[in-house]
Amino acid sequence: MPELPEVEALSRFLGERTAGRGVAAVEVVAISALKTFSPAPADLVGRQVLGVERHGKWIDLRTGPAAAPVHLVAHLSRAGWVRWYDELPTTPARPGRSALALRVRLDDGSGFALTEAGTRKRLAVHLVADPGQVAAIATLGVDPLGPEFTLERLAELAAARNQQVKGLLRDQSQVAGIGNAYSDEILHTARTSPFALTRSLDRADLERLHTATLEVLRQAVEASAGRPATELKDAKRRGMQVHGRTGERCPVCGDTVREVAFADRSLQYCPTCQTGGKPLADRRMSRLLR
């Protein structure tokens, strides 16, 4: 799933290439991806792209005039992606025949497509006058790369509800933009068990967690900056120290990276770095170890 660093890179990539261009056509291929009916996709035609922003894991393409904007906001979910074309294909797409969900053509013939692999279609596109009209955006928590993500704010979130720290990092209503992969990386850098309860974290623990969050995300954004969209997935995989590396050696201590599997996902961690050398039990098999 694209997370904050990749969505930030995609937003910057699109922003650089679409700014000032006019929208020439919008083609909705997967009707299930479009979650709104007014404004209609055709209402974007003739509008000028004013910019592209990120809200958590959402991409927001803003079109003018500024006095009456229309935003195309998209969530790529687990298997969605953005494909850029210097010359957008003109062949009409057949619904159900490909991963293509939506195409936007610009007035110079370039454009982009939103695609989604697999059979579970969760990619979401909204056309709205204000991004806040999308409930999932209106309820986003603090952006970890924004000025409001202070140590004090993290401490407030940790104290508000006694929950597993990985759950706190992944909850979009508390911290926006972090998913399964980067929460693994942050907790590894912070030397914290993914199952540690937030109210058990002392000041030093929270300082490490705050610093690790900024360090991991900023490094990932920097590594993604300037890369074409086609290279971002590989760049993400190469940057991971524990996520997706079950059975490999931890680059910090040399221990074997372990995994805990759930019904629809898994997490990876290093016992030596994060859990005092104790492997965590699979919650499907037995009680979790902390």
Side-chain angles (χ1 to χ4, degrees):
M1 173 186 291
E3 299 179 33
L4 185 155
E6 295 78 50
V7 177
E8 178 72 18
L10 289 170
S11 297
R12 293 181 184 181
F13 182 90
L14 284 179
E16 292 170 358
R17 286 158 178 77
T18 62
R21 302 252 53 111
V23 177
V26 179
E27 182 181 8
V28 179
V29 181
I31 297 299
S32 61
L34 186 62
K35 306 304 182 183
T36 54
F37 62 90
S38 180
D43 293 335
L44 286 179
V45 176
R47 286 177 163 269
Q48 184 183 47
V49 178
L50 301 180
V52 180
E53 302 175 33
R54 175 187 61 80
H55 310 286
K57 300 179 189 177
W58 291 78
I59 296 173
D60 173 9
L61 183 139
R62 178 169 52 94
T63 67
V70 172
H71 298 251
L72 187 157
V73 291
H75 192 287
L76 300 175
S77 192
R78 176 167 293 185
W81 201 246
V82 177
R83 296 187 62 183
W84 174 261
Y85 297 86
D86 290 330
E87 290 290 337
L88 193 72
T90 57
T91 305
R94 296 183 178 183
R97 296 278 183 174
S98 70
L100 184 61
L102 178 142
R103 289 196 297 207
V104 175
R105 182 182 304 280
L106 302 176
D107 55 9
D108 63 349
S110 67
F112 64 92
L114 301 182
T115 64
E116 185 173 24
T119 58
R120 302 181 70 178
K121 303 301 185 182
R122 296 179 177 177
L123 185 146
V125 177
H126 299 247
L127 294 177
V128 291
D130 187 311
Q133 293 174 318
V134 180
I137 294 178
T139 57
L140 285 174
V142 61
D143 191 298
L145 292 185
E148 295 181 353
F149 185 70
T150 61
L151 176 59
E152 289 69 27
R153 181 63 179 140
L154 178 61
E156 290 173 1
L157 292 171
R161 178 161 60 94
N162 201 24
Q163 60 188 307
Q164 292 176 353
V165 65
K166 183 174 172 73
L168 167 63
L169 293 176
R170 294 183 68 241
D171 186 343
Q172 299 303 295
S173 68
Q174 298 183 83
V175 183
I178 301 172
N180 194 38
Y182 285 104
S183 59
D184 282 352
E185 295 299 299
I186 289 166
L187 292 169
H188 176 252
T189 300
R191 305 191 305 279
T192 301
S193 167
F195 298 132
L197 295 177
T198 54
R199 287 179 181 168
S200 73
L201 302 178
D202 61 23
R203 185 72 175 184
D205 295 329
L206 291 169
E207 287 176 351
R208 288 201 312 274
L209 182 60
H210 183 261
T211 299
T213 301
L214 297 178
E215 177 183 315
V216 168
L217 294 179
R218 285 172 176 171
Q219 288 180 355
V221 168
E222 183 178 346
S224 300
R227 292 182 180 272
T230 53
E231 296 181 7
L232 290 176
K233 292 180 182 180
D234 287 340
K236 177 181 180 178
R237 283 190 286 265
R238 287 194 300 270
M240 296 289 153
Q241 296 198 19
V242 292
H243 184 79
R245 299 193 181 279
T246 303
E248 298 182 22
R249 292 172 64 86
C250 169
V252 174
C253 71
D255 195 359
T256 300
V257 174
R258 304 291 186 95
E259 176 178 284
V260 176
F262 301 90
D264 61 347
R265 61 181 175 87
S266 63
L267 66 82
Q268 287 78 42
Y269 69 99
C270 170
T272 295
C273 292
Q274 297 175 251
T275 61
K278 298 179 180 180
L280 297 170
D282 188 324
R283 71 184 306 170
R284 298 173 302 178
M285 303 291 291
S286 62
R287 180 172 59 85
L288 293 176
L289 302 177
R290 292 185 176 88

